[in-house]
Amino acid sequence: MSPSQIITGISENKVTYQKYFDVSPDLLFEVWSDPKHLKEWWGPDGFTLSVISFDFRKGGFFEFIMHGPDGQDYKNKIQFLNIVIPRLITYQHVGDGEGDEDVNFQSDIVFEKSGNGTNLTMIQIFSSKHELERVNEKYGAIEGGKQHIGNLQKYLEKM
């Protein structure tokens, strides 16, 4: 995997993003699992993040607001389903936390040691191909996923 490249694959209801990072799995996992880091890079280009709550354990919730470049706020809530330090974070995006489940998908974030760095794989699984297409059309989810990983890279370069 090329260090600068984000490989993206789409298959039915699943989007897979892969990228090599020139940092250890421990550091990459920490940057993905600590709100002090998350607020510095989380989200697509132009977005900022306010953390409401962060309970990083199986069954715990991460509630946050993404502030869009258009001035709009987007409430989000995810529930952690599985955590294997420093190899895996699985979570379910459950909408905005106030009953609106407009976007509901599962993400698997896999950290795999590769030489002196880490191969990161982010897999987003939607309920159907139609649902993936709907969310992509409404929110630009696939491009947003690429930008999300790109912003992680930019943050790591500044550290």
Side-chain angles (χ1 to χ4, degrees):
M1 208 176 308
S2 165
S4 62
Q5 185 179 22
I6 299 171
I7 299 169
T8 306
I10 303 164
S11 174
E12 290 296 316
N13 64 327
K14 180 169 68 171
V15 184
T16 302
Y17 308 86
Q18 296 177 300
K19 173 141 180 40
Y20 175 82
F21 290 88
D22 196 20
V23 298
S24 71
D26 290 332
L27 177 58
L28 194 57
F29 189 92
E30 176 187 332
V31 168
W32 201 288
S33 61
D34 185 327
K36 78 177 182 201
H37 293 294
L38 292 171
K39 68 180 184 170
E40 300 297 325
W41 68 268
W42 186 274
D45 293 349
F47 281 78
T48 59
L49 180 77
S50 294
V51 175
I52 298 169
S53 67
F54 191 82
D55 183 10
F56 190 65
R57 63 179 174 85
K58 185 176 179 178
F61 288 94
F62 174 24
E63 295 182 75
F64 55 97
I65 300 171
M66 293 176 60
H67 309 285
D70 59 359
Q72 188 168 349
D73 289 340
Y74 302 89
K75 293 183 86 172
N76 289 265
K77 184 175 185 177
I78 64 175
Q79 183 175 28
F80 297 107
L81 304 177
N82 194 13
I83 298 168
V84 180
I85 301 169
R87 295 191 334 242
L88 174 69
I89 301 171
T90 299
Y91 65 80
Q92 184 75 33
H93 188 281
V94 294
D96 67 4
E98 296 180 355
D100 182 359
E101 293 187 14
D102 188 39
V103 179
N104 189 323
F105 61 92
Q106 179 177 310
S107 283
D108 295 329
I109 316 302
V110 180
F111 308 83
E112 183 179 42
K113 184 164 179 49
S114 178
N116 291 327
T118 306
N119 285 328
L120 175 82
T121 303
M122 180 172 81
I123 304 164
Q124 296 175 323
I125 304 165
F126 293 81
S127 60
S128 66
K129 180 179 180 180
H130 173 73
E131 180 61 8
L132 167 58
E133 291 168 349
R134 183 192 71 80
V135 172
N136 190 49
E137 168 108 7
K138 185 171 183 179
Y139 297 106
I142 295 170
E143 181 59 30
K146 292 177 193 177
Q147 292 174 11
H148 181 69
I149 292 172
N151 288 331
L152 171 58
Q153 176 68 44
K154 290 174 194 169
Y155 175 65
L156 287 166
E157 289 169 357
K158 291 190 306 188
M159 286 182 69

